Amino acid sequence: MTEKELLQKNIEEFSRLQTYMLLSDKTAEAYQVMKQRYIELKVILTASGLNLTDLDRIKE
C-alpha cells in the first residue's frame, strides 16, 4: 500500500468514525471506544501534515 493510499484510508476511516460518533450517545461505552480511535487517527493525520480544520466535525 502506498503512502497516498494509506492516507486516503485513514481519512475515510476518520470521516466514517465521526459520523458514528455524532449518532451515538456520548455516555455510551461504545462512544468512548470510538473516541480513542478518533484521537489515534487525529494524531496520525496531523503527523502526516494534514490540516484537520475542515475535516474534524467532533472538535474534541
Side-chain angles (χ1 to χ4, degrees), residues 32-59:
Q32 299 307 315
V33 172
M34 288 186 282
K35 186 174 177 182
Q36 280 302 118
R37 183 60 180 152
Y38 162 82
I39 293 168
E40 293 167 355
L41 286 168
K42 195 169 181 176
V43 168
I44 291 168
L45 293 171
T46 301
S48 297
L50 195 65
N51 182 348
L52 297 178
T53 304
D54 293 332
L55 293 175
D56 191 0
R57 295 176 278 153
I58 302 295
K59 311 264 190 241

Side-chain angles (χ1 to χ4, degrees), residues 14-43:
F14 187 69
S15 178
R16 194 170 32 252
L17 182 60
Q18 287 184 90
T19 299
Y20 300 149
M21 289 174 74
L22 290 169
L23 293 172
S24 298
D25 179 5
K26 288 185 178 186
T27 61
E29 185 177 343
Y31 184 90
Q32 299 307 315
V33 172
M34 288 186 282
K35 186 174 177 182
Q36 280 302 118
R37 183 60 180 152
Y38 162 82
I39 293 168
E40 293 167 355
L41 286 168
K42 195 169 181 176
V43 168

